[in-house]
């Protein structure tokens, strides 16, 4: 696959960068180097065992600069923007096929039985729900990517199985960051669940972010897309005019002329255009946004050839992911929900619209330069009041309508004490912050765990 004397440089020591180093080592590559701009990057000791040379602390370091100038292949971790100035000359110098990320390397190693899922929201739920569905079937199943184990770790695990009675199947969640450096993927089915504004601190504009997501469509034999997304339809019309309708499955909550899969709320079934039905009556997922995730999952699984019985069993057996609209407890008739995974406004919008009950909302954190003006209309939808927390809540404050009471709480514990005193039986307290967590927490997982601990202490 690579010339024996080729020099490979990995940018980033995170879990993804480490997986690249392990995979290259397994492939017999001898000249592996790595750089990281952090003074104390993770996995430094493990990377040192796999790499000939390393440089940490700055990409401008003389050792880092020498490695960038001399490498034959550049493998960039998804957390490192392609527009990083110190990488520009290396990216320009190397052939395009010599620059990639972990998914690009995976794509060169695995050519079949790949289901790839991306989208602004819902991709983790759909990925793991598909894992539950395909667990019913005779596959050597691997689920991960941007979620859980990196794709290359999954590939190595599949290679380690000496007796491969079952053929491997990879179900991968892919982020826009990963798709930026991927161009050789051969997914059997690629699903683009939705598009909304996110990561605008990384991309030059919304169109740039959308372009990264749309890259998956070009690299998938069949695609599953929402029935009401003009940007995707415009892309198909201009970029992929030869793609036949038989290769496209469209999903929606409602039946319309464009929809191939939709939800029958009355019968609690997902219905396909051919008239087949899958019950979701026993699912533990809550909210209309999760119902849409179920419809998308049914579309993907059915298009892959899974029986309706297996799909229904997978939906019934599925255990919802932590920190995603999860019920924590009920206190005095008020139910508390942890949706800490909502790190952007579109995720919070989905949660708000997914719960019909009157809601007390906790918002705030690191805004990532998002536009919060849609809150003016969104907060009119059954919101009793808003508690604001985190570093950037002042950026949210001007977009709260005058009719909605708000409380500048600053911290989660203060917010919960405030809302417990106000919420009435039948209402809910929804922690769906619409922001990143790194101002006060290590990540959304820690933020969610602390929220649940505080709720149990009320």
């Amino acid at each position: 696959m690579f010339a024996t004397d080729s020099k490979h440089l990995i940018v980033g020591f995170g879990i993804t960068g480490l997986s690249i180093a392990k995979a290259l080592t397994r492939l017999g590559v001898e000249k592996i180097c790595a750089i990281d701009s952090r003074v104390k990057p993770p996995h430094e000791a493990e990377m040192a065992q796999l790499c000939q040379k390393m440089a940490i602390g700055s990409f401008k370091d003389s050792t880092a600069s020498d490695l960038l100038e001399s490498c034959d292949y550049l493998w960039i971790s998804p957390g490192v923007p392609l527009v990083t100035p110190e990488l520009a000359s290396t990216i320009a110098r190397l052939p395009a096929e010599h620059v990639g990320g972990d998914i690009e390397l995976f794509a060169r190693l695995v050519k079949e039985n790949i289901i790839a899922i991306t989208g602004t929201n819902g991709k983790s739920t759909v990925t793991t729900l598909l894992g539950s569905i395909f667990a019913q079937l005779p596959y050597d199943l691997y689920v991960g990517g941007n979620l859980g184990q990196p794709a290359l770790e999954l590939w190595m695990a599949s290679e380690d199985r000496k007796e491969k009675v079952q053929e491997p199947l990879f179900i991968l969640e892919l982020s826009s960051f990963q798709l930026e450096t991927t161009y050789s993927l051969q997914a059997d089915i690629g699903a683009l669940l939705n598009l909304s504004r996110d990561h605008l601190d990384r991309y030059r504009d919304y169109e740039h972010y959308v372009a990264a997501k749309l890259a998956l469509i070009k690299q998938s034999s069949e695609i599953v897309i929402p029935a009401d997304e003009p940007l995707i339809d415009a892309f198909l019309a201009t970029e992929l005019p030869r793609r036949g309708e038989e290769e496209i499955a469209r999903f929606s909550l409602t039946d319309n002329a464009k929809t191939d899969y939709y939800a029958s709320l009355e019968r609690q079934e997902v219905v396909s255009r051919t008239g087949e039905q899958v019950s979701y009556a026993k699912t533990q997922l809550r909210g209309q946004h999760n119902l849409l995730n179920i419809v998308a999952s049914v579309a993907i699984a059915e298009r892959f050839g899974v029986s309706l019985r297996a799909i229904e069993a997978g939906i019934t057996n599925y255990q919802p992911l932590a920190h995603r609209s999860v019920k924590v407890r009920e206190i005095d008739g008020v139910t508390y929900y942890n949706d800490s995974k909502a790190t952007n406004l579109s995720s919070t919008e989905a949660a708000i619209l997914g719960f019909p009950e009157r809601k007390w909302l906790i918002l705030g954190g690191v805004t990532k330069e998002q536009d919060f003006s849609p809150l003016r209309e969104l907060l009119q939808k059954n919101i009793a009041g808003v508690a604001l927390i985190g570093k950037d809540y002042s950026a949210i404050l001007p977009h709260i309508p005058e009719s909605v009471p708000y409380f500048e709480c600053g911290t989660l514990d203060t917010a919960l004490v405030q809302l417990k005193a106000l919420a009435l039986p039948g209402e809910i307290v929804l922690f769906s912050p619409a922001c990143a967590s790194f101002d006060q927490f290590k990540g959304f997982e820690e933020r969610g765990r602390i929220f649940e601990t505080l709720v149990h202490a009320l």
Side-chain angles (χ1 to χ4, degrees):
M1 177 177 288
F2 303 111
T4 55
D5 61 344
S6 59
K7 300 175 183 178
H8 295 251
L9 179 60
I10 300 167
V11 184
F13 287 16
I15 187 172
T16 304
L18 179 60
S19 74
I20 295 172
K22 289 179 178 178
L24 290 174
T25 300
R26 186 172 188 124
L27 290 169
V29 175
E30 296 180 356
K31 298 179 180 179
I32 305 172
C33 299
I35 60 176
D36 196 297
S37 61
R38 291 169 287 189
V39 175
K40 294 182 178 180
H43 311 299
E44 184 178 354
E46 294 169 276
M47 291 293 283
Q49 295 176 356
L50 299 169
C51 298
Q52 285 187 326
K53 291 183 179 180
M54 300 195 313
I56 62 173
S58 172
F59 292 151
K60 296 179 180 179
D61 175 86
S62 59
T63 302
S65 298
D66 290 343
L67 293 174
L68 285 165
E69 289 176 5
S70 62
C71 68
D72 300 307
Y73 288 86
L74 187 67
W75 303 103
I76 305 174
S77 297
V80 180
L82 281 176
V83 295
T84 300
E86 293 83 358
L87 305 182
S89 61
T90 304
I91 293 173
R93 173 177 62 83
L94 294 174
E97 62 271 19
H98 286 212
V99 178
D102 70 309
I103 303 302
E104 176 57 28
L105 182 54
F106 172 89
R108 301 182 191 188
L109 299 168
V110 180
K111 303 295 185 181
E112 59 183 1
N113 282 2
I114 303 170
I115 296 174
I117 299 101
T118 195
T120 306
N121 301 308
K123 53 187 179 291
S124 294
T125 296
V126 170
T127 300
T128 51
L129 179 52
L130 286 170
S132 178
I133 292 170
F134 278 92
Q136 319 291 319
L137 303 173
Y139 284 103
D140 187 18
L141 184 62
Y142 299 92
V143 181
N146 185 56
L147 163 81
Q149 282 189 290
L152 289 170
E153 292 278 4
L154 300 178
W155 169 73
M156 288 184 282
S158 74
E159 291 292 300
D160 287 338
R161 290 180 62 88
K162 296 180 180 179
E163 296 181 5
K164 296 182 181 179
V165 178
Q166 300 169 332
E167 60 180 320
L169 171 65
F170 297 89
I171 302 176
L172 303 180
E173 173 187 320
L174 302 182
S175 70
S176 59
F177 298 169
Q178 290 173 311
L179 287 167
E180 287 177 19
T181 54
T182 303
Y183 43 86
S184 303
L185 190 64
Q186 299 176 47
D188 294 86
I189 296 180
L192 177 46
L193 303 177
N194 46 60
L195 291 170
S196 57
R197 295 180 181 274
D198 195 16
H199 298 302
L200 297 186
D201 53 341
R202 164 105 170 215
Y203 293 98
R204 60 178 178 265
D205 52 33
Y206 179 51
E207 288 71 23
H208 186 202
Y209 167 71
V210 169
K213 292 290 191 186
L214 290 171
L216 180 59
I217 290 179
K218 292 183 177 180
Q219 301 176 67
S220 304
S221 297
E222 294 190 40
I223 58 174
V224 173
I225 57 176
D228 51 359
E229 180 47 74
L231 289 174
I232 299 177
D233 289 338
F235 178 77
L236 289 172
T238 58
E239 297 290 330
L240 299 170
R242 295 187 185 88
R243 188 180 285 276
E245 284 297 318
E246 69 277 2
E247 299 174 350
I248 304 172
R250 292 179 170 85
F251 65 93
S252 175
L253 280 180
T254 57
D255 184 17
N256 60 58
K258 292 177 60 177
T259 302
D260 299 299
Y261 295 85
Y262 66 93
S264 170
L265 300 178
E266 181 180 350
R267 301 197 304 271
Q268 293 189 287
E269 294 175 337
V270 176
V271 182
S272 74
R273 179 60 58 201
T274 59
E276 296 172 317
Q277 298 121 22
V278 175
S279 173
Y280 61 83
K282 296 180 181 179
T283 184
Q284 296 182 52
L285 289 168
R286 279 292 315 272
Q288 287 194 2
H289 57 308
N290 277 324
L291 177 51
L292 196 59
N293 291 333
I294 292 173
V295 178
S297 300
V298 172
I300 295 166
E302 200 272 340
R303 294 293 288 235
F304 201 83
V306 182
S307 71
L308 301 182
R309 180 176 295 181
I311 295 173
E312 188 170 310
I315 293 171
T316 299
N317 295 334
Y318 178 70
Q319 298 295 314
L321 290 168
H323 316 299
R324 293 161 175 85
S325 296
V326 176
K327 178 181 176 180
V328 179
R329 67 179 293 204
E330 182 179 314
I331 305 173
D332 300 329
V334 177
T335 307
Y336 292 73
Y337 284 93
N338 171 16
D339 192 37
S340 178
K341 181 61 172 66
T343 58
N344 56 60
L345 182 57
S346 59
S347 295
T348 297
E349 178 180 9
I352 289 173
L353 298 178
F355 290 95
E357 298 94 336
R358 185 167 166 82
K359 294 168 282 289
W360 296 85
L361 186 64
I362 303 176
L363 285 174
V366 180
T367 59
K368 300 186 293 182
E369 300 182 20
Q370 295 179 87
D371 175 14
F372 282 90
S373 59
L375 278 176
R376 287 192 175 277
E377 180 179 353
L378 183 61
L379 294 183
Q380 303 288 354
K381 302 181 188 300
N382 231 5
I383 299 295
V386 176
L388 295 166
I389 67 168
K391 169 177 171 283
D392 296 339
Y393 78 75
S394 60
I396 301 173
L397 191 56
H399 304 292
I400 298 176
E402 294 180 2
S403 59
V404 176
Y406 64 87
F407 309 93
E408 299 180 59
C409 298
T411 61
L412 261 179
D413 53 347
T414 302
L416 281 169
V417 170
Q418 177 76 64
L419 298 187
K420 183 177 185 295
L422 295 170
L424 300 174
E427 297 177 340
I428 70 172
V429 172
L430 176 61
F431 178 43
S432 188
C435 295
S437 56
F438 300 111
D439 55 333
Q440 296 179 335
F441 310 94
K442 294 179 180 178
F444 75 84
E445 296 96 341
E446 182 187 69
R447 179 171 66 180
R449 287 193 297 270
I450 290 175
F451 172 78
E452 293 184 0
T453 298
L454 291 170
V455 170
H456 284 296
L458 288 174

